[in-house]
Amino acid sequence: MSSLVTPTANPNKRRHQDMMKLMMSDYEVLIPDESCMHDFYVKFDGPPETPYENGSWKIHVTLPADYPFKSPSIGFKNRMFHPNVDDISGSVCLDVINQTWSPMFNLVNIFEQFLPQLLRYPNPTDPLNGEAAALLMRDPDAYNLRIRDHVRQYASAKIDLLGRENDVADDKGKERDSRAACVDVSGTSPGGVAELDLMEGTAEAEEDDGNESDISEMSSD
């Protein structure tokens, strides 16, 4: 298990150190844009001896500008059934992260300690997924069966960090633009991956003479 580290007064240096440790670990890591090292994806396997065992998830991590003094935002890209994970965006409850997070933690700790603990010991009193929380409190056995069903449907296929076919947002007909996180890093709060979509571009199509269409693209860059 990864050891804890001493926080440093230089956040940029600390981010770089933690990224190097994560990339040298046994976890698969994808950084879509190397100029945007604070925004990346990691393959995460469900912890053994839990209903999540044999499942694999693509995790989206974004580091705020003042990491490690503020917690990262963490989101599941393929669907996760859990009281503290939003079923639509896949983001993990901010309160749950902040209750656990310490500047002493590094990025490897997220995948070795924080996420396994989150899946083993959900908090149904502070839910993002009310259905999961209610089922856990009403019928734990049915809750575990529902998790296993979700794992079979959404987390049993091989995770391709470069692929987009299993993304939660794509299931809802939305697209994510990782550039938004790069532009917004100085002001990004760790409140959830969904916040990173605010700077996506939009497109409008207009018909011309019934045969031709002009497409104008607007970008918030």
Side-chain angles (χ1 to χ4, degrees):
M1 183 172 292
S2 177
S3 59
L4 301 181
V5 297
T6 302
T8 174
N10 187 335
N12 288 328
K13 181 179 180 181
R14 173 62 187 277
R15 280 196 298 270
H16 178 76
Q17 290 174 341
D18 283 9
M19 282 301 304
M20 292 303 102
K21 288 179 182 179
L22 180 61
M23 295 176 69
M24 292 171 63
S25 72
D26 294 332
Y27 295 99
E28 295 180 33
V29 181
L30 171 68
I31 304 174
D33 183 351
E34 292 187 0
S35 67
C36 186
M37 294 283 287
H38 58 271
D39 189 78
F40 55 93
Y41 299 90
V42 180
K43 178 180 176 289
F44 172 73
D45 295 328
E49 300 180 1
T50 73
Y52 300 99
E53 187 174 15
N54 300 321
S56 295
W57 285 266
K58 178 179 178 181
I59 306 296
H60 186 191
V61 181
T62 302
L63 306 182
D66 43 4
Y67 171 89
F69 301 102
K70 283 192 176 181
S71 60
S73 66
I74 304 170
F76 290 83
K77 295 293 286 180
N78 46 322
R79 294 186 68 173
M80 163 62 70
F81 189 75
H82 189 282
N84 308 118
V85 178
D86 188 281
D87 186 53
I88 296 176
S89 71
S91 59
V92 177
C93 179
L94 174 60
D95 288 342
V96 172
I97 298 175
N98 285 341
Q99 287 169 9
T100 307
W101 181 256
S102 163
M104 299 291 288
F105 290 146
N106 61 43
L107 295 176
V108 176
N109 294 137
I110 292 175
F111 300 96
E112 287 189 347
Q113 297 177 2
F114 173 73
L115 286 178
Q117 289 290 97
L118 177 72
L119 299 190
R120 285 190 173 100
Y121 306 108
N123 179 9
T125 64
D126 186 21
L128 281 180
N129 185 332
E131 179 185 4
L135 185 60
L136 171 59
M137 292 187 289
R138 182 177 67 250
D139 190 340
D141 290 336
Y143 170 78
N144 289 334
L145 289 174
R146 183 72 174 273
I147 291 172
R148 292 188 178 97
D149 182 58
H150 256 63
V151 169
R152 283 192 296 269
Q153 290 188 60
Y154 305 111
S156 60
K158 181 179 179 181
I159 293 295
D160 178 9
L161 292 181
L162 291 171
R164 296 173 59 88
E165 63 274 8
N166 290 327
D167 287 0
V168 172
D170 289 349
D171 288 342
K172 302 297 180 179
K174 296 167 60 180
E175 294 181 353
R176 295 188 181 278
D177 187 349
S178 62
R179 292 175 302 171
C182 298
V183 174
D184 193 40
V185 65
S186 61
T188 298
S189 70
V193 176
E195 294 177 4
L196 304 179
D197 294 330
L198 297 178
M199 301 187 67
E200 288 185 339
T202 59
E204 294 182 351
E206 297 179 350
E207 292 187 358
D208 183 10
D209 295 332
N211 295 317
E212 298 180 357
S213 64
D214 296 326
I215 298 177
S216 59
E217 294 183 352
M218 298 179 294
S219 173
S220 60
D221 294 341

